[in-house]
Amino acid sequence: MVKLKNSTLVLKCFGLLLTFFILISCGQQKNFVTKIEGKKIGITEAQTENSDIENFIKPYRENIDKDLSQVLAYNPENLEKSKGEWQTNIGNFLADITLTKSNKVFQSRENKSIDICILNHGGIRTMIPKGNVTARNAFEVMPFENAAVVVALKGEQIVEMANYIIAEKKPHPLQGLSFTISKDNVAKDIKIQNKTIDTNATYYVVTSDYLANGGDNMTFFKLGTQRFDIDYKLRNIMIDYFKEVDTLNYDNSVRITKE
């Protein structure tokens, strides 16, 4: 009689365990994404002819084209980067307007003034031809999304900057900094805003975020003591300038001389 009761108890426990495991196994299964694949499908001319795609994008394309084609100012002469050993007219122009317009933002936010602007020669992708100027010109000159950044540098890093320009032998856009290339091929008579450089002082330099991160081997920016992102794209600086003036003005003053 005792054995029968024990057997019944064992069977009941086994039944409960079996039911428990069945319920677990029948529970809702969770799915996880393990892989995502995709491919680019080009919108070719054949695909867009008389298609829903063409009808969809047409009004957007026409509005963008209208905005880019609107005349904003007039340029009295070709601005190009191919003419000039140490500076070019387009380089001077871009450095001048970048310093001026960035400085307004920087002064209002930080109550400080920008001393120098340096950009990179390679970042200028094309010329600004003589004639009417549009927003499209700005997109063609600077097609990238680079933004203006202000970096605080000690005077000794400014000396490195000047010697970097000499070593590169490229007319990088420059404003606020001037110097002479000595016969020994080093920078001398370095001036910032027409004042002799103080190697212990701190100077504020506006440049692109690409260069501020050490691009084009401008490693001296990595030694900056402060960095300020002013949320102003270089291309928008150009467009805003175009909108403010009737005719483009540029300063062809000499920034780098050679003994």
Side-chain angles (χ1 to χ4, degrees):
M1 188 68 178
V2 175
K3 289 183 178 179
L4 181 59
K5 288 183 179 179
N6 289 340
S7 299
T8 303
L9 182 60
V10 170
L11 287 173
K12 286 182 178 179
C13 291
F14 178 78
L16 289 171
L17 286 172
L18 184 61
T19 302
F20 177 74
F21 285 119
I22 290 172
L23 289 173
I24 291 176
S25 64
C26 293
Q28 186 176 2
Q29 184 177 359
K30 293 184 178 179
N31 297 319
F32 299 93
V33 177
T34 58
K35 188 177 182 181
I36 298 176
E37 293 183 337
K39 65 178 180 178
K40 184 187 292 185
I41 302 176
I43 301 178
T44 64
E45 187 174 334
Q47 289 174 312
T48 58
E49 286 182 359
N50 302 318
S51 69
D52 291 337
I53 295 176
E54 169 62 18
N55 293 332
F56 180 79
I57 66 175
K58 183 178 179 181
Y60 296 97
R61 183 176 60 231
E62 289 177 346
N63 283 333
I64 291 173
D65 185 67
K66 180 180 178 181
D67 290 340
L68 292 178
S69 300
Q70 182 180 359
V71 176
L72 303 178
Y74 178 79
N75 178 28
E77 66 176 280
N78 289 338
L79 295 179
E80 48 193 320
K81 71 173 192 176
S82 60
K83 296 179 180 178
E85 181 181 7
W86 295 106
Q87 62 187 58
T88 64
N89 57 5
I90 193 170
N92 286 6
F93 170 72
L94 293 175
D96 291 353
I97 65 171
T98 299
L99 190 151
T100 299
K101 297 196 70 60
S102 297
N103 197 41
K104 292 180 180 180
V105 178
F106 191 58
Q107 285 179 331
S108 65
R109 291 186 184 179
E110 305 296 334
N111 198 29
K112 297 180 177 69
S113 295
I114 297 173
D115 301 291
I116 298 169
C117 174
I118 182 171
L119 303 173
N120 58 325
H121 180 70
I124 306 171
R125 309 310 289 183
T126 190
M127 66 183 294
I128 303 177
K130 178 181 178 179
N132 291 332
V133 177
T134 66
R136 180 175 278 106
N137 291 116
F139 276 85
E140 291 172 345
V141 172
M142 291 188 172
F144 312 110
E145 297 300 310
N146 294 121
V149 172
V150 178
V151 182
L153 294 177
K154 291 292 186 180
E156 54 188 347
Q157 273 76 62
I158 304 300
V159 176
E160 288 183 39
M161 180 190 298
N163 286 317
Y164 165 87
I165 294 171
I166 296 171
E168 281 281 296
K169 298 180 180 179
K170 293 178 181 178
H172 294 298
L174 193 64
Q175 169 59 294
L177 172 66
S178 62
F179 58 89
T180 298
I181 303 173
S182 72
K183 293 178 181 179
D184 297 328
N185 218 39
V186 295
K188 60 180 289 189
D189 299 329
I190 300 174
K191 289 183 171 58
I192 298 173
Q193 295 294 333
N194 296 318
K195 295 180 181 179
T196 301
I197 189 172
D198 179 354
T199 54
N200 295 315
T202 296
Y203 297 97
Y204 295 97
V205 183
V206 64
T207 188
S208 71
D209 50 359
Y210 168 70
L211 299 178
N213 292 330
D216 272 11
N217 294 317
M218 293 195 187
T219 55
F220 44 82
F221 278 120
K222 294 184 177 181
L223 300 175
T225 57
Q226 286 180 291
R227 171 173 169 150
F228 307 85
D229 295 308
I230 62 173
D231 306 313
Y232 205 170
K233 293 189 184 301
L234 297 181
R235 182 173 58 236
N236 290 343
I237 287 175
M238 293 180 64
I239 294 173
D240 288 347
Y241 173 82
F242 293 160
K243 290 178 178 179
E244 290 175 0
V245 300
D246 175 77
T247 303
L248 270 58
N249 296 305
Y250 14 87
D251 178 9
N252 289 322
S253 60
V254 177
R255 291 140 207 229
I256 302 175
T257 57
K258 195 172 183 179
E259 281 188 337

